[in-house]
Amino acid sequence: MTDLTFNFARSTQKMMLTLADVLEGVGGPRLEMLANLRVHGVSIDSREVLRDDVFIAFKGERVDGHNYVGHALGRGAAAVLVESDIDLAKLADSNATLLDVRQPITISDKVIRTPLVIRVYETARALQKLALYWRNRHPQVRVIGVTGSVGKTSTKELIAQVLSERYQTLKSEGNQNNDIGVPLTLLRLTDTHERAVLEMGMDRLGEITSYCEWAKPIVGVVTNVGPVHLEKLGSIENIALAKSELVEAIPRTGVVILNDDDERVRAMRKVSQARMISYGLSARADVWADEIASYGLDGMTFQLHYRTESHFVRLPLLGQHSVQTALRAAAVGLAEGLSWDEIVAGLSRKSAEQVRLVVAKGPFDSLVLDDSYNASAESTLAALNVLKDIDEGPRVAVLGDMLELGNTEQLAHEEVGCRAGIVADSVIGVGERARAICQAAIECGLSATRVFHVMSNAEALRVLKQVIRGKCVILVKGSRGMQMEEIVEGLGEMKN
């Protein structure tokens, strides 16, 4: 253990998060002797902690991060945030300095040694307070918030790609779209950033309002409203109300970007006094597209229109639903002052991060469309349309249960099953709810000999071994709780 002034590389870049910022941001005093000690990053998983990180111990439903404070310190954490009493004698380094923001801190710089154990009332709230503090330190950054039932991640990725044609742009990573992920993204801001694109998910009313209080978005984008999280929110009207919280939070000087093809989204214009840009697939919208053509794995082309202007776009994304994604990104580009050359270049640039659907190789030179991350009726129908567009042999749809659909559950599975029966040559339904998928596939014309219902991913793989006899295209999609990535992994290991 060394004195704290020798424990870190000093910051070489202005406005990087420091230990002084962390302490002040969570409600403690600002100790200037910590001001030059840069934090490498902020983590909530002790296994991911790097040297000079801050580790935040959360009490989860299954895991209590306080049990891993010692592990985080052993990996070189600069500080840890805790909300319960920690026995310093049991830590990896018993010389850690305890700072309790719940009471006045009067401490001499001669007795502060790193690492720091910072005790707060509640670690989740402390993270959010720190994110707001850090956002306020970066007023130059214009934040773009993205919400909607389907398409948030691909929209966020493409918006960030377009904005990056001119601006230094931060974006949410992975699925950091909740009350932990949004603050963690804000804590990655530096003085080099000019724009930030934040994905905002929700499963309760008031959640997006909280995100907006921390992030202060100037542009809000709504993709659509569908029956996702219906079990928790109770009605499609409540889902629309929850999504509209982003629109309502945009200031008069900002811009709201709304889906003109979705009547519930279109109605959100009533809750905002900000400038509005609508997008859609008809000339009624401000930004719209026609002459759409699909080229399978080679993407899409379309004509993009805005007022009297028209631009040809070659989009390296799969499926016609991706055109809507492109329209959202183009509208944000317009709102943020990009030229059409910059917008079209950003849309046309290929990036592996733009979509969750990943194309991989399977047995017998088959193509596996891995869209196993999550599923709703809308996203599954879109994935089935992608399957339809790919002409690489027989089409196999492996579809798992779609969860949290409330009283629309039966109808949603039947709708998906009917489309699968029309599009696919074989359908494998996984899970109890998928019985409705299989039955609807048969009713919509697919031979019962080509429809298989199973209850586990292992059973699905056994059926696939029988079904796959040569080159084909296999779509794998289901709700997160179905863990259908196991099927994708099994296909990758399957022998010809």
Side-chain angles (χ1 to χ4, degrees):
M1 171 61 60
T2 59
D3 289 338
L4 83 96
T5 51
F6 296 100
N7 201 35
F8 296 87
R10 290 183 179 270
S11 173
T12 58
Q13 184 178 19
K14 293 180 181 179
M15 292 296 288
M16 295 289 289
L17 192 67
T18 69
L19 285 183
D21 296 319
V22 172
L23 184 60
E24 184 180 20
V26 300
R30 185 171 184 84
L31 300 182
E32 288 301 327
M33 74 281 291
L34 303 175
N36 287 328
L37 305 180
R38 187 177 69 187
V39 170
H40 179 272
V42 180
S43 178
I44 61 171
D45 187 336
S46 67
R47 297 168 298 182
E48 298 176 357
V49 168
L50 301 175
R51 183 172 177 80
D52 299 344
D53 276 358
V54 172
F55 171 67
I56 302 179
F58 283 103
K59 291 181 178 178
E61 294 181 2
R62 292 177 295 177
V63 178
D64 186 348
H66 292 81
N67 295 329
Y68 300 93
V69 167
H71 183 232
L73 292 174
R75 289 179 60 87
V80 296
L81 263 61
V82 300
E83 63 182 45
S84 61
D85 291 339
I86 293 293
D87 185 351
L88 296 183
K90 294 182 179 180
L91 297 180
D93 195 326
S94 60
N95 290 318
T97 299
L98 176 63
L99 299 176
D100 194 337
V101 303
R102 301 176 300 177
Q103 57 192 16
I105 296 176
T106 55
I107 192 163
S108 167
D109 60 348
K110 294 182 180 179
V111 298
I112 296 181
R113 301 171 72 89
T114 57
L116 307 179
V117 175
I118 303 174
R119 186 173 290 153
V120 298
Y121 288 101
E122 183 184 355
T123 49
R125 179 59 184 149
L127 169 63
Q128 293 155 9
K129 286 177 63 177
L130 180 58
L132 174 59
Y133 166 90
W134 196 237
R135 171 67 177 106
N136 287 336
R137 294 282 298 274
H138 296 82
Q140 84 285 358
V141 178
R142 288 173 61 91
V143 170
I144 294 87
V146 180
T147 194
S149 296
V150 179
K152 293 185 296 294
T153 299
S154 57
T155 297
K156 174 257 300 183
E157 293 290 342
L158 195 54
I159 289 172
Q161 183 166 297
V162 168
L163 292 178
S164 294
E165 291 292 316
R166 179 181 296 189
Y167 303 115
Q168 289 293 321
T169 303
L170 176 70
K171 64 179 181 179
S172 306
E173 296 295 342
N175 62 341
Q176 289 193 338
N177 64 3
N178 57 17
D179 56 357
I180 294 175
V182 171
L184 287 174
T185 301
L186 290 170
L187 290 174
R188 292 169 44 221
L189 285 170
T190 73
D191 63 337
T192 64
H193 289 120
E194 299 168 288
R195 301 291 186 273
V197 188
L198 303 185
E199 181 180 337
M200 297 181 177
M202 64 86 219
D203 59 13
R204 64 183 184 274
L205 290 167
E207 196 167 2
I208 290 178
T209 296
S210 296
Y211 302 161
C212 293
E213 289 172 356
W214 314 325
K216 304 181 187 301
I218 197 71
V219 178
V221 182
V222 184
T223 64
N224 44 53
V225 172
V228 180
H229 301 304
L230 193 57
E231 283 186 351
K232 295 181 179 180
L233 283 158
S235 69
I236 195 74
E237 289 75 21
N238 278 344
I239 293 172
L241 185 61
K243 301 299 183 185
S244 71
E245 291 171 9
L246 172 59
V247 177
E248 194 170 4
I250 301 302
R252 185 190 297 266
T253 54
V255 182
V256 170
I257 296 170
L258 300 178
N259 184 351
D260 190 72
D261 296 334
D262 186 315
E263 62 179 354
R264 292 187 175 89
V265 176
R266 194 166 62 243
M268 293 179 190
R269 68 180 68 196
K270 299 175 184 177
V271 303
S272 177
Q273 294 182 327
R275 173 190 168 203
M276 193 193 77
I277 301 177
S278 63
Y279 67 90
L281 299 182
S282 77
R284 182 178 62 185
D286 298 317
V287 180
W288 60 285
D290 64 0
E291 299 182 32
I292 300 169
S294 173
Y295 295 90
L297 293 176
D298 292 325
M300 314 287 298
T301 63
F302 63 94
Q303 286 289 333
L304 189 157
H305 302 275
Y306 177 67
R307 295 178 178 170
T308 60
E309 300 181 71
S310 179
H311 302 272
F312 176 79
V313 176
R314 183 174 294 278
L315 188 68
L317 302 182
L318 306 183
Q320 182 167 320
H321 63 284
S322 296
V323 175
Q324 290 265 12
T325 304
L327 294 176
R328 296 165 198 143
V332 173
L334 287 171
E336 294 303 288
L338 270 66
S339 69
W340 277 111
D341 285 346
E342 289 170 319
I343 291 170
V344 173
L347 295 175
S348 302
R349 187 150 44 89
K350 191 169 186 178
S351 170
E353 298 177 323
Q354 287 172 352
V355 287
R356 286 194 174 122
L357 190 152
V358 177
V359 180
K361 286 290 186 182
F364 293 103
D365 201 29
S366 60
L367 290 177
V368 180
L369 306 182
D370 175 9
D371 200 4
S372 60
Y373 178 79
N374 214 339
S376 64
E378 290 86 350
S379 66
T380 305
L381 290 170
L384 286 167
N385 288 337
V386 173
L387 180 65
K388 174 180 177 292
D389 287 343
I390 299 176
D391 188 14
E392 296 284 342
R395 300 175 178 91
V396 181
V398 186
L399 304 174
D401 286 354
M402 298 180 291
L403 309 178
E404 296 185 18
L405 297 183
N407 57 15
T408 67
E409 179 179 282
Q410 181 72 18
L411 181 61
H413 285 83
E414 290 174 354
E415 185 179 11
V416 163
C418 183
R419 184 59 178 163
I422 295 170
V423 166
D425 299 290
S426 297
V427 171
I428 302 172
V430 186
E432 181 60 40
R433 297 167 181 83
R435 290 184 189 276
I437 292 177
C438 294
Q439 184 61 40
I442 295 169
E443 291 175 358
C444 289
L446 187 59
S447 169
T449 62
R450 306 303 301 169
V451 178
F452 309 87
H453 178 253
V454 298
M455 292 299 294
S456 70
N457 295 333
E459 291 178 88
L461 282 167
R462 286 195 287 271
V463 173
L464 283 166
K465 284 183 179 179
Q466 301 170 7
V467 169
I468 303 172
R469 287 290 178 263
K471 189 173 182 180
C472 61
V473 187
I474 308 162
L475 170 67
V476 181
K477 189 166 180 65
S479 278
R480 189 74 200 95
M482 299 301 293
Q483 298 180 321
M484 297 189 73
E485 66 275 8
E486 295 174 351
I487 296 175
V488 176
E489 293 167 2
L491 285 168
E493 298 168 357
M494 194 178 293
K495 304 297 183 182
N496 290 351

